[in-house]
Amino acid sequence: MKIESKLAQIGSVSEPVTGAVSFPIYQATAFRHPKLGQSTGFDYSRTKNPTRSVLEEAIAELESGDRGFALSSGMAALQTVFALFSQGDHLIVSVDLYGGTYRLLEKVMSRFGVQATYVDTNDLSELESVYRLGSTKAVLIETPTNPLMMVTDIAAVCQWAKEKELLTIVDNTLLSPFLQRPLELGADIVVHSATKYLGGHNDVLAGLIVTKGTELSEKIFFLYNSIGAVLGPQDSWLLMRGMKTLALRMERHEYNATCIANWLLEHPLITDVYYPALASHPGYEIQKKQSRGNTGIFSFKVSDARLVEPLLRHLELIAFAESLGGVESLLTYPAVQTHADIPVEIRERVGVDDRLLRFSVGIEHVDDLIADLSRALDMAQSELAGGTV
Ligand SMILES: *Cc1c(COP(=O)(O)O)cnc(C)c1O
């Protein structure tokens, strides 16, 4: 079955008693045992809840994995995966990383003796140079990265990691399984902030993990149940409801983002556009090879940092807000919002400076989005020229 059909049908044949097409919310934490030594398969909702189970089976199938896990946020999913590691272990991580993941590694995991080194994961010589025999245990990739949209060849890294018996973990938040399935390219674990495209409506916070292989699946299940940062039944239902329209949404996000990125390329106040859908992007070929299409997120730089404040102030349709992947368009200023926890030296080394803006393009009509940007850029420029900013 094609992925569009799997998405639309999530949970639709799972309820045998009434035939409800929308799988019910089982708002229960405890389940009665038929008799001593027997279980319905459900005992206590931290371990397993019927609504959450339908979601977990769906994401496992969508990502071509063996087992899925739904957690209370993307960070909870990452924390649960990081609990695989012990004191003295070392991770190799994509340099242009989600700020919260960097914070979790540097401010929390480091206190437990787990170390991380940040490199361009698309450069195998960089991976090789930071690899520590005996202590390196895994590679964590984001591709494309956020906000700079650096693309990593997932299959190449997985092959390198396998030779060294390292796990490959991919944060697939920016593309979703509709566009890219890392487990099919050799990865061991996929992580999602389902708060973003999977949920898609800026209304549910959730995280997902998908694993390959029985042993690894059992280890993650043990940690997930032990730590307990699981997703509640209402949010599990809301997430499945969002996921049913993922294919349609992603197609529109990509279409809108491509139109706007091409429009910005020609705009005199824009110096750079970072989007792997553009043939000029260094990751264009790899992106085309390993995914079905492009995310609706890209970044761009304005010619003068003083344009940022009036630009954000004059936007009417596009919201200045700190998330991505929803139906509503949001513009983020990474240097002061999402990436503020990353030290200035690292931020500047990779190019997250005060002229950079990240655009999560929604599913509104593209003409309205371009008109909003165009007007706000013109007004920002006239304020700058008039000396009012
Ligand atoms: C948002 C995000 C996270 C964190 O997810 P939450 O649901 O906010 O906890 C992790 N990775 C990426 C790439 C993200 O965009």
Side-chain angles (χ1 to χ4, degrees):
M1 208 196 291
K2 303 264 197 242
I3 192 163
E4 290 85 345
S5 311
K6 289 183 191 168
L7 285 162
Q9 292 287 337
I10 292 174
S12 69
V13 291
S14 309
E15 208 288 291
V17 181
T18 64
V21 171
S22 164
F23 193 81
I25 301 169
Y26 280 76
Q27 193 66 51
T29 53
F31 301 85
R32 190 176 300 170
H33 301 301
K35 62 181 203 188
L36 188 64
Q38 281 190 1
S39 163
T40 58
F42 298 93
D43 307 308
Y44 184 61
S45 275
R46 170 160 34 72
T47 314
K48 199 174 177 194
N49 171 280
T51 313
R52 197 171 75 234
S53 290
V54 172
L55 166 64
E56 291 174 335
E57 282 160 22
I59 191 64
E61 193 186 346
L62 292 167
E63 284 284 6
S64 301
D66 290 313
R67 197 148 172 192
F69 304 91
L71 296 101
S72 56
S73 69
M75 293 321 303
L78 283 157
Q79 168 73 86
T80 301
V81 170
F82 292 161
L84 285 168
F85 306 111
S86 306
Q87 186 168 19
D89 287 351
H90 172 245
L91 311 180
I92 303 175
V93 182
S94 293
V95 66
D96 177 35
L97 188 70
Y98 176 68
T101 310
Y102 178 85
R103 179 176 59 197
L104 176 59
L105 286 167
E106 292 304 305
K107 307 245 162 98
V108 183
M109 295 309 294
S110 63
R111 289 196 290 107
F112 296 87
V114 176
Q115 295 187 325
T117 310
Y118 304 86
V119 300
D120 173 0
T121 39
N122 196 42
D123 184 344
L124 291 182
S125 69
E126 284 202 31
L127 292 179
E128 200 66 57
S129 72
V130 300
Y131 169 71
R132 302 180 193 166
L133 180 67
S135 56
T136 302
K137 293 291 158 66
V139 186
L140 169 62
I141 306 171
E142 275 183 26
T143 179
T145 58
N146 153 24
L148 289 170
M149 312 308 289
M150 293 161 73
V151 178
T152 289
D153 186 332
I154 299 173
V157 172
C158 290
Q159 197 187 347
W160 178 85
K162 275 206 172 66
E163 283 163 15
K164 298 194 153 48
E165 298 184 354
L166 311 180
L167 288 177
T168 306
I169 305 160
V170 180
D171 183 331
N172 203 27
T173 300
L174 260 63
L175 286 173
S176 88
F178 178 63
L179 296 176
Q180 172 174 281
R181 289 185 288 282
L183 300 178
E184 292 177 3
L185 302 168
D188 302 288
I189 300 178
V190 162
V191 181
H192 278 283
S193 168
T195 313
K196 314 294 169 56
Y197 282 117
L198 289 165
H201 294 74
N202 290 318
D203 57 11
V204 57
L205 193 71
L208 296 167
I209 304 171
V210 186
T211 49
K212 195 88 194 156
T214 313
E215 197 189 325
L216 187 59
S217 300
E218 276 168 12
K219 273 190 195 162
I220 292 287
F221 172 70
F222 177 81
L223 294 168
Y224 148 101
N225 187 40
S226 300
I227 296 170
V230 300
L231 194 63
Q234 306 243 9
D235 284 347
S236 296
W237 182 88
L238 201 50
L239 179 52
M240 287 192 274
R241 201 275 265 273
M243 285 165 68
K244 285 169 177 274
T245 56
L246 180 71
L248 287 174
R249 287 186 283 109
M250 292 315 293
E251 283 168 1
R252 175 62 77 88
H253 284 300
E254 180 180 12
Y255 172 77
N256 281 358
T258 307
C259 295
I260 299 168
N262 278 300
W263 179 79
L264 284 172
L265 272 181
E266 304 296 320
H267 197 286
L269 294 178
I270 305 303
T271 60
D272 305 89
V273 179
Y274 303 86
Y275 189 37
L278 303 174
S280 56
H281 189 280
Y284 175 78
E285 289 298 335
I286 304 171
Q287 181 68 30
K288 212 164 79 176
K289 177 185 77 165
Q290 70 187 10
S291 73
R292 165 179 179 162
N294 286 278
T295 179
I297 293 148
F298 66 83
S299 297
F300 60 95
K301 278 186 183 168
V302 289
S303 56
D304 187 319
R306 290 172 300 168
L307 288 165
V308 172
E309 190 281 323
L311 168 65
L312 294 172
R313 178 158 40 81
H314 287 300
L315 288 169
E316 286 174 1
L317 176 60
I318 301 163
F320 172 41
E322 195 163 338
S323 189
L324 58 90
V327 293
E328 303 91 354
S329 289
L330 306 181
L331 202 63
T332 303
Y333 193 25
V336 303
Q337 292 180 303
T338 48
H339 289 62
D341 279 309
I342 297 181
V344 181
E345 318 81 75
I346 298 191
R347 253 192 272 145
E348 286 181 351
R349 176 152 62 90
V350 295
V352 181
D353 64 18
D354 58 2
R355 292 191 294 119
L356 185 81
L357 288 159
R358 185 189 75 198
F359 193 4
S360 174
V361 182
I363 64 166
E364 302 90 343
H365 198 289
V366 68
D367 294 351
D368 291 327
L369 295 172
I370 289 178
D372 198 35
L373 268 178
S374 177
R375 193 187 34 77
L377 280 165
D378 287 350
M379 290 174 88
Q381 187 187 24
S382 39
E383 280 192 25
L384 193 60
T388 53
V389 284

CSV table of all heavy atoms in Angstrom, one decimal, residues 73-76 78 98 101 142 146 171 173-174 193-196 205-207 324, ligand 1:
chain,number,residue,atom,x,y,z
A,73,SER,N,7.2,14.5,24.2
A,73,SER,CA,7.8,15.6,23.4
A,73,SER,C,9.0,15.0,22.6
A,73,SER,O,9.4,13.9,22.9
A,73,SER,CB,8.3,16.8,24.3
A,73,SER,OG,9.4,16.4,25.0
A,74,GLY,N,9.4,15.8,21.6
A,74,GLY,CA,10.6,15.4,20.9
A,74,GLY,C,11.8,15.3,21.9
A,74,GLY,O,12.6,14.3,21.7
A,75,MET,N,11.9,16.2,22.8
A,75,MET,CA,13.1,16.1,23.8
A,75,MET,C,13.0,14.9,24.6
A,75,MET,O,14.0,14.2,25.0
A,75,MET,CB,13.1,17.4,24.7
A,75,MET,CG,13.5,18.7,23.9
A,75,MET,SD,14.7,18.6,22.6
A,75,MET,CE,16.1,17.9,23.5
A,76,ALA,N,11.7,14.5,25.0
A,76,ALA,CA,11.6,13.2,25.8
A,76,ALA,C,12.0,12.0,25.0
A,76,ALA,O,12.6,11.1,25.5
A,76,ALA,CB,10.1,13.1,26.2
A,78,LEU,N,14.3,12.1,22.6
A,78,LEU,CA,15.8,12.1,22.5
A,78,LEU,C,16.4,11.7,23.9
A,78,LEU,O,17.4,10.9,23.9
A,78,LEU,CB,16.3,13.5,22.1
A,78,LEU,CG,16.1,13.8,20.6
A,78,LEU,CD1,16.0,15.3,20.4
A,78,LEU,CD2,17.2,13.2,19.8
A,98,TYR,N,19.6,21.1,16.3
A,98,TYR,CA,18.5,21.7,17.0
A,98,TYR,C,19.0,22.2,18.4
A,98,TYR,O,19.6,21.4,19.1
A,98,TYR,CB,17.3,20.7,17.1
A,98,TYR,CG,16.2,21.3,18.0
A,98,TYR,CD1,15.4,22.3,17.5
A,98,TYR,CD2,15.9,20.8,19.2
A,98,TYR,CE1,14.4,22.9,18.3
A,98,TYR,CE2,14.9,21.3,20.0
A,98,TYR,CZ,14.1,22.4,19.5
A,98,TYR,OH,13.1,22.9,20.3
A,101,THR,N,18.5,20.0,21.5
A,101,THR,CA,19.2,18.7,21.5
A,101,THR,C,20.7,19.0,22.0
A,101,THR,O,21.2,18.3,22.8
A,101,THR,CB,19.2,18.1,20.1
A,101,THR,OG1,17.9,18.0,19.7
A,101,THR,CG2,19.8,16.7,20.2
A,142,GLU,N,21.1,15.1,11.9
A,142,GLU,CA,19.9,15.8,11.5
A,142,GLU,C,20.1,16.1,10.0
A,142,GLU,O,21.2,16.7,9.7
A,142,GLU,CB,19.7,17.1,12.3
A,142,GLU,CG,19.0,17.0,13.6
A,142,GLU,CD,18.8,18.3,14.3
A,142,GLU,OE1,18.7,19.4,13.6
A,142,GLU,OE2,18.7,18.3,15.5
A,146,ASN,N,18.7,22.4,10.8
A,146,ASN,CA,17.9,23.5,11.0
A,146,ASN,C,18.7,24.5,11.8
A,146,ASN,O,19.2,24.0,12.9
A,146,ASN,CB,16.6,23.0,11.7
A,146,ASN,CG,15.9,23.9,12.6
A,146,ASN,OD1,16.0,25.1,12.4
A,146,ASN,ND2,15.2,23.4,13.6
A,171,ASP,N,17.4,12.2,13.4
A,171,ASP,CA,16.3,13.1,13.7
A,171,ASP,C,15.6,13.4,12.4
A,171,ASP,O,16.1,14.2,11.6
A,171,ASP,CB,16.8,14.3,14.5
A,171,ASP,CG,15.6,15.2,14.9
A,171,ASP,OD1,14.6,15.2,14.3
A,171,ASP,OD2,15.8,15.9,16.0
A,173,THR,N,12.7,14.9,11.9
A,173,THR,CA,11.6,15.9,12.1
A,173,THR,C,11.3,16.7,10.8
A,173,THR,O,10.2,17.0,10.5
A,173,THR,CB,12.0,16.8,13.3
A,173,THR,OG1,12.1,16.0,14.4
A,173,THR,CG2,10.9,17.9,13.5
A,174,LEU,N,12.4,17.2,10.2
A,174,LEU,CA,12.2,18.2,9.1
A,174,LEU,C,11.6,17.6,7.8
A,174,LEU,O,11.0,18.3,7.0
A,174,LEU,CB,13.5,18.9,8.8
A,174,LEU,CG,13.5,20.3,9.4
A,174,LEU,CD1,13.5,20.2,10.9
A,174,LEU,CD2,14.7,21.1,8.9
A,193,SER,N,10.4,15.1,16.5
A,193,SER,CA,9.5,15.9,17.2
A,193,SER,C,8.2,15.9,16.4
A,193,SER,O,8.1,16.6,15.4
A,193,SER,CB,10.1,17.4,17.3
A,193,SER,OG,9.1,18.2,17.8
A,194,ALA,N,7.3,15.1,16.9
A,194,ALA,CA,6.0,15.0,16.2
A,194,ALA,C,5.2,16.3,16.4
A,194,ALA,O,4.1,16.5,15.7
A,194,ALA,CB,5.2,13.8,16.7
A,195,THR,N,5.7,17.2,17.2
A,195,THR,CA,5.1,18.5,17.4
A,195,THR,C,5.1,19.3,16.1
A,195,THR,O,4.3,20.2,15.9
A,195,THR,CB,6.0,19.3,18.4
A,195,THR,OG1,6.3,18.5,19.5
A,195,THR,CG2,5.3,20.6,18.9
A,196,LYS,N,5.9,18.9,15.2
A,196,LYS,CA,6.2,19.7,14.0
A,196,LYS,C,5.3,19.1,12.8
A,196,LYS,O,4.1,19.2,13.0
A,196,LYS,CB,7.6,19.7,13.6
A,196,LYS,CG,8.6,20.0,14.8
A,196,LYS,CD,8.4,21.4,15.4
A,196,LYS,CE,9.1,21.5,16.7
A,196,LYS,NZ,10.6,21.2,16.7
A,205,LEU,N,2.0,18.7,21.4
A,205,LEU,CA,3.5,18.4,21.7
A,205,LEU,C,3.7,16.9,21.8
A,205,LEU,O,3.0,16.3,22.6
A,205,LEU,CB,3.8,19.2,23.0
A,205,LEU,CG,5.3,19.3,23.3
A,205,LEU,CD1,5.9,20.4,22.4
A,205,LEU,CD2,5.5,19.8,24.8
A,206,ALA,N,4.6,16.4,21.0
A,206,ALA,CA,4.8,14.9,21.1
A,206,ALA,C,6.1,14.5,20.4
A,206,ALA,O,6.7,15.3,19.6
A,206,ALA,CB,3.6,14.2,20.3
A,207,GLY,N,6.6,13.4,20.8
A,207,GLY,CA,7.8,12.9,20.3
A,207,GLY,C,7.6,11.4,19.9
A,207,GLY,O,6.8,10.7,20.5
A,324,LEU,N,7.9,25.1,14.0
A,324,LEU,CA,8.0,24.9,12.5
A,324,LEU,C,7.0,23.7,12.2
A,324,LEU,O,6.6,23.0,13.1
A,324,LEU,CB,9.4,24.6,12.1
A,324,LEU,CG,10.1,23.4,12.8
A,324,LEU,CD1,9.9,22.1,12.1
A,324,LEU,CD2,11.6,23.7,12.9
B,1,LIG,C1,11.4,20.8,17.8
B,1,LIG,C2,12.5,19.9,17.6
B,1,LIG,C3,13.0,19.0,18.6
B,1,LIG,C4,12.4,19.0,20.0
B,1,LIG,O1,11.0,18.6,20.0
B,1,LIG,P1,9.9,19.1,21.0
B,1,LIG,O2,8.7,18.4,20.5
B,1,LIG,O3,9.9,20.6,20.9
B,1,LIG,O4,10.4,18.6,22.4
B,1,LIG,C5,14.0,18.1,18.2
B,1,LIG,N1,14.5,18.1,17.0
B,1,LIG,C6,14.1,18.9,16.0
B,1,LIG,C7,14.8,18.9,14.7
B,1,LIG,C8,13.1,19.9,16.3
B,1,LIG,O5,12.8,20.7,15.3
